Amino acid sequence: MTEIVWRLDAKEKEVKQADSEKRESGKDQILLPEELETTKEPLEEALKFLRPLQTLVSGRVETHLLAYRIYCRKKKLLLMLQSVKRAAAIDQNHHELHEHIVDLALAVAASESLARPVSAILRTSLLALLDAPDVYEFNSQFRSTHAKSLPHLLSGCKVWYKLRPEKKDDVIRVVTNLADDLTDRSVKWCSRVLEALRGGDFGDVPEAADRYKGDCHKLFPLTTAFAPAKVDNTEDALDPGVADTQETRPGTEPPEKDGILSESS
């Protein structure tokens, strides 16, 4: 009996000592917000969010487009193929899916160390998805079929520049087209075209981006994203010489405005 009591006391002391050491180690731990909001394995964390989506909302094309982007970063070609096939079964004409199919075809063509069975599966499936002799013809058919849709026009031109960068002038001319018969010629999609022009999807084209922004401003004059840059006149306002020229001369009256919104000539 005495031995049992002694063992229980020893075990209790051991547990208390372990708890004490744990509390002491926690006192020296510094919790940094920057470390708490980041992760060392972002793709693995992304997969944790993806798997419930694949189960609960597998009928939405966006789920499989998201899956493709994750598997693309992990360089999982078979899972990339699985994602585009599932997306195509839902909406084979989706503009983003078009980009992913071409991207996958280029990745497979650039892979030299694939096992023969894997390579055969990928190439056979891609031929069925492309339904064209090659990616160039596939993209040309896509742009021709969806020539009046701005989202498809943007995706088609991104692929066009990726495949034929020497055709940049033609690509810019097409992607910046704002004809009246375009569908989805909205603030949302015009903004995305402007982001693509500024983001390097068509190379370094700052002048084309500025021209497009000006054209969009004419269509959507109240949209701040397309508003022209404001000129800073602070220095002129602080310059006494400039201020003197802007004062009303003695014996003259400032011009009257004809209406609230009119400006003096």
Side-chain angles (χ1 to χ4, degrees):
M1 184 68 179
T2 305
E3 184 179 354
I4 295 175
V5 173
W6 178 82
R7 289 182 179 179
L8 290 174
D9 290 342
K11 185 65 176 177
E12 185 178 355
K13 289 180 180 179
E14 183 181 343
V15 172
K16 287 182 178 180
Q17 184 178 358
D19 290 342
S20 177
E21 291 176 356
K22 186 176 181 180
R23 286 193 296 270
E24 289 297 326
S25 63
K27 291 180 180 179
D28 298 331
Q29 184 179 5
I30 301 176
L31 299 178
L32 300 176
E34 294 80 3
E35 294 182 359
L36 292 174
E37 68 182 5
T38 57
T39 175
K40 295 180 180 179
E41 298 180 343
L43 293 178
E44 296 302 322
E45 293 296 324
L47 283 174
K48 293 179 182 179
F49 287 96
L50 173 64
R51 291 186 182 111
L53 294 177
Q54 290 176 315
T55 302
L56 300 174
V57 284
S58 60
R60 292 183 63 89
V61 67
E62 292 84 357
T63 298
H64 308 296
L65 297 176
L66 172 62
Y68 178 88
R69 291 195 291 271
I70 295 174
Y71 294 136
C72 180
R73 286 167 174 79
K74 292 177 71 67
K75 298 181 180 180
K76 302 292 187 180
L77 293 177
L78 287 175
L79 291 174
M80 291 160 63
L81 175 63
Q82 178 192 74
S83 299
V84 295
K85 289 179 71 173
R86 288 177 175 177
I90 298 171
D91 183 2
Q92 62 179 356
N93 292 316
H94 195 280
H95 58 91
E96 190 175 330
L97 173 62
H98 175 74
E99 296 182 54
H100 291 341
I101 292 175
V102 175
D103 180 70
L104 176 59
L106 295 177
V108 171
S111 300
E112 300 178 353
S113 58
L114 291 175
R116 184 173 298 178
V118 174
S119 178
I121 292 172
L122 288 167
R123 294 179 185 279
T124 302
S125 298
L126 278 170
L127 286 174
L129 286 168
L130 291 173
D131 193 25
D134 51 43
V135 291
Y136 303 99
E137 182 63 24
F138 175 65
N139 188 56
S140 178
Q141 292 176 4
F142 180 84
R143 288 188 290 107
S144 177
T145 302
H146 305 284
K148 303 302 180 182
S149 169
L150 187 52
H152 294 81
L153 193 68
L154 175 58
S155 292
C157 285
K158 284 181 179 180
V159 172
W160 190 9
Y161 178 75
K162 182 182 293 186
L163 297 175
R164 296 282 176 83
E166 70 276 7
K167 297 287 187 179
K168 180 168 71 172
D169 291 342
D170 293 332
V171 174
I172 296 300
R173 176 179 52 81
V174 173
V175 79
T176 56
N177 171 45
L178 287 170
D180 293 337
D181 58 351
L182 276 179
T183 60
D184 293 308
R185 192 183 67 168
S186 60
V187 171
K188 171 185 174 180
W189 283 106
C190 288
S191 297
R192 291 193 179 184
V193 172
L194 183 59
E195 290 173 5
L197 290 167
R198 288 174 167 174
D201 289 326
F202 306 105
D204 186 20
V205 288
E207 294 182 357
D210 289 340
R211 285 196 303 270
Y212 186 75
K213 179 182 177 182
D215 293 340
C216 291
H217 178 62
K218 295 176 183 177
L219 286 174
F220 310 104
L222 301 181
T223 302
T224 56
F226 306 134
K230 294 183 179 180
V231 180
D232 187 2
N233 294 322
T234 305
E235 294 183 1
D236 291 344
L238 297 176
D239 188 345
V242 175
D244 290 343
T245 61
Q246 294 178 348
E247 292 179 357
T248 305
R249 296 181 180 179
T252 63
E253 297 295 334
E256 296 184 357
K257 292 185 178 181
D258 184 16
I260 297 175
L261 299 179
S262 61
E263 296 181 357
S264 58
S265 57

